[in-house]
Amino acid sequence: MRCTSTLPVNFTRRGFEWNGLLNGSYKSGRILYAVAVMGTKELRWLFLAVLVVALFVANFSEPATFGISQQWTNGNYSFAGGTHPVALIFAVIIAVLYLLLMIAPPVDLGEPLPGVLRRFLTFWLDFTLAMILLTPIMGILPTLTEWNRTGAFQWHFERTLHAPGDGWLTAAGFIFFIPGLLFYFAFPLVRRRPSPGASITGYQIVTDDGITMTTRTAILRTLLGFIAACGAYLAPFIARDRKRGKFWLDTVFGTRAMKLR
């Protein structure tokens, strides 16, 4: 009798344990699925929230150099670099949201975007997000290198004495930052998705013929796009086509700006 009474109790107890695990996994799976299928409209608010919070934290924290900075001014040398756990958290969040945006379902497009002011604002939103993403990651290398050199760990540092390897660190940071910046701006063109900044302002760059843009064309358009941003005051006057949502950069690459529905 004791054996028969003990076995059901143990079996039932294990059953409750397995049911709890299965229910927990099911709930976690539902949360992950909900995150994975978020569209552009939901992600745009998350990007905006992260941007606002990051800028708020930056304004109220002590000044620090993220990434790498090497300068010579009137014969005076300065080398600074570093990162921070909070900055790395923001970088990871933006990276995750960026990937979710690239795999999000394609959004329906509306009318052409006639104005260029929104596109200029979008560039600076994207550039700010890219800096928040890339510079803390870039600062990991000088932080670890300085720790190895001095034996004292600091999240960020600044010195006026030249140390062996400073030039190589700056070159390594440059090699990481430039491709990372190009990837940030070019990949949405290849994926036929809005960039994070464009998702916030509500439009997307598409090709005139509806064909997916090649990687080479996307990179070239991104490079020329930086020049276009520097000469933004010329955009309203050169090869402007408001009805089709185009200015001179779009004329060169056969693209246009379309509003998101």
Side-chain angles (χ1 to χ4, degrees), residues 114-261:
V116 294
L117 181 60
R118 194 189 304 188
R119 299 176 70 169
F120 180 71
L121 173 63
T122 296
F123 171 82
W124 286 109
L125 286 174
D126 275 322
F127 187 79
T128 303
L129 286 168
M131 293 294 289
I132 297 173
L133 168 62
L134 296 174
T135 53
I137 299 174
M138 185 172 62
I140 294 176
L141 182 60
T143 298
L144 296 178
T145 303
E146 193 72 6
W147 182 23
N148 181 66
R149 189 182 71 86
T150 63
F153 180 80
Q154 292 179 302
W155 282 110
H156 45 81
F157 64 91
E158 184 174 357
R159 51 179 165 78
T160 56
L161 297 176
H162 185 274
D166 283 357
W168 288 107
L169 281 176
T170 304
F174 183 81
I175 292 173
F176 167 79
F177 181 76
I178 297 302
L181 194 62
L182 288 176
F183 179 88
Y184 176 96
F185 280 91
F187 192 54
L189 298 173
V190 177
R191 288 288 301 165
R192 303 173 71 175
R193 299 292 191 277
S195 67
S199 70
I200 294 174
T201 54
Y203 76 92
Q204 180 178 333
I205 298 298
V206 298
T207 57
D208 291 336
D209 53 14
I211 300 176
T212 301
M213 191 179 299
T214 64
T215 302
R216 178 177 178 273
T217 302
I219 292 175
L220 290 176
R221 191 187 186 283
T222 298
L223 290 172
L224 197 58
F226 283 103
I227 299 176
C230 294
Y233 56 90
L234 298 174
F237 308 105
I238 302 178
R240 182 75 180 280
D241 189 344
R242 293 178 58 89
K243 292 183 178 180
R244 300 181 63 192
K246 300 169 75 73
F247 75 106
W248 68 265
L249 182 65
D250 298 302
T251 302
V252 173
F253 291 96
T255 58
R256 54 181 172 165
M258 304 292 293
K259 295 179 182 180
L260 304 179
R261 288 183 179 176

Side-chain angles (χ1 to χ4, degrees), residues 10 13 20 37 43 65 67 73 94 153 193 209 217 241 249:
N10 290 337
R13 187 175 298 168
V37 299
L43 291 170
T65 299
T73 305
I94 292 175
F153 180 80
R193 299 292 191 277
D209 53 14
T217 302
D241 189 344
L249 182 65

Side-chain angles (χ1 to χ4, degrees), residues 5-19:
S5 62
T6 303
L7 287 174
V9 172
N10 290 337
F11 177 80
T12 304
R13 187 175 298 168
R14 291 176 183 177
F16 279 122
E17 291 175 357
W18 278 108
N19 287 334

Side-chain angles (χ1 to χ4, degrees), residues 69-102:
S69 174
Q70 186 179 28
Q71 297 178 351
W72 286 270
T73 305
N74 298 325
N76 297 320
Y77 178 76
S78 174
F79 187 88
T83 186
H84 194 275
V86 176
L88 289 172
I89 291 173
F90 280 118
V92 171
I93 293 174
I94 292 175
V96 171
L97 293 178
Y98 183 93
L99 293 176
L100 289 175
L101 181 61
M102 293 304 104

